[in-house]
Amino acid sequence: MTLSDEQIAELEAVRAKLEVRMVEKPRRYQHSVGVAKTAYEIARAYDVDCFSAALAGLLHDWDKVLDDHELLVRAAQYGVRVAGSPSAAVGLLHGPVASYELLHIFEGIDASVCQAVARHTVGAVDMTPLDMVVFVADAIEPGRHGDYAERLRAMVGESSLEELFFQTFAQGLVYVISGGRYLYPTAIDIYNAYAAKRTR
């Protein structure tokens, strides 16, 4: 799937806004551009809308520039539901918070793009193909290094998108648990939901 000139222009306009927003966080900006490019390629491999994938990739960390206090304030303002401890989960709130704000910042943005942004941090039991593409792209964009990233990259186009998502999600759990980090309460339910599908 190729992008139209209009879509390319729209992505470029969003990229320019993102660059200004992240001017003090150049590494985060480069990561976002990398996620957009990777999401585009994964979307092509699995016949998912490439424009939506690239747009969600660009915007997935839109609110990563906010400090913890501001994220908690905005999450409360928008009624973002947080399982467990909000303060412990604050590092995961930038996706859900941004999903509310992007609807007002970018006129006409598709709700599916906002949902993919919301779900790129903790996932869900009912991930759409677009959700999965962005989740995986965040984990394997070129700035990510390590054996896990190479293994997951090699799966693109070789395994089903759902299996690729499952393996990416499982790797995330390994990372969180091995480092003694806070495990978001819904993580086990999500893992089990997709693990159960694999045994059918």
Side-chain angles (χ1 to χ4, degrees):
M1 176 184 178
T2 57
L3 301 178
S4 68
D5 290 344
E6 184 179 341
Q7 289 173 325
I8 292 171
E10 187 172 341
L11 288 172
E12 176 57 25
V14 171
R15 185 208 59 75
K17 287 184 179 180
L18 182 72
E19 187 173 22
V20 171
R21 184 169 178 82
M22 296 186 169
V23 67
E24 294 182 8
K25 295 197 173 187
R27 290 180 65 184
R28 179 62 49 188
Y29 166 73
Q30 289 300 328
H31 164 72
S32 297
V33 171
V35 172
K37 291 178 179 177
T38 304
Y40 175 85
E41 293 300 332
I42 298 172
R44 284 185 63 188
Y46 292 101
D47 199 26
V48 176
D49 185 85
C50 293
F51 172 73
S52 294
L55 180 58
L58 277 176
L59 295 173
H60 81 288
D61 275 353
W62 180 263
D63 273 348
K64 196 78 170 175
V65 299
L66 303 178
D67 62 31
D68 290 356
H69 174 73
E70 185 62 26
L71 277 170
L72 287 168
V73 168
R74 294 190 189 193
Q77 175 186 345
Y78 302 138
V80 173
R81 291 187 176 185
V82 180
S85 166
S87 59
V90 69
L92 305 172
L93 291 178
H94 62 280
V97 169
S99 71
Y100 283 87
E101 297 183 336
L102 294 172
L103 287 168
H104 305 289
I105 296 170
F106 295 97
E107 184 178 348
I109 191 170
D110 196 280
S112 66
V113 172
C114 294
Q115 176 175 285
V117 169
R119 290 181 167 185
H120 89 272
T121 53
V122 296
V125 296
D126 58 345
M127 298 282 279
T128 67
L130 179 60
D131 296 340
M132 293 182 192
V133 164
V134 177
F135 190 97
V136 172
D138 188 27
I140 68 170
E141 61 94 6
R144 304 292 196 192
H145 304 289
D147 292 343
Y148 80 92
E150 292 300 328
R151 179 176 63 84
L152 293 171
R153 287 181 191 121
M155 290 178 64
V156 175
E158 300 298 322
S159 70
S160 70
L161 178 56
E162 191 165 284
E163 179 64 14
L164 177 59
F165 164 71
F166 175 77
Q167 293 296 333
T168 305
F169 190 85
Q171 177 59 47
L173 292 187
V174 170
Y175 172 78
V176 169
I177 293 170
S178 65
R181 298 169 181 83
Y182 178 73
L183 182 64
Y184 196 67
T186 62
I188 298 301
D189 288 339
I190 297 168
Y191 175 86
N192 283 336
Y194 285 93
K197 291 181 182 181
R198 299 172 78 238
T199 61
R200 291 176 190 160

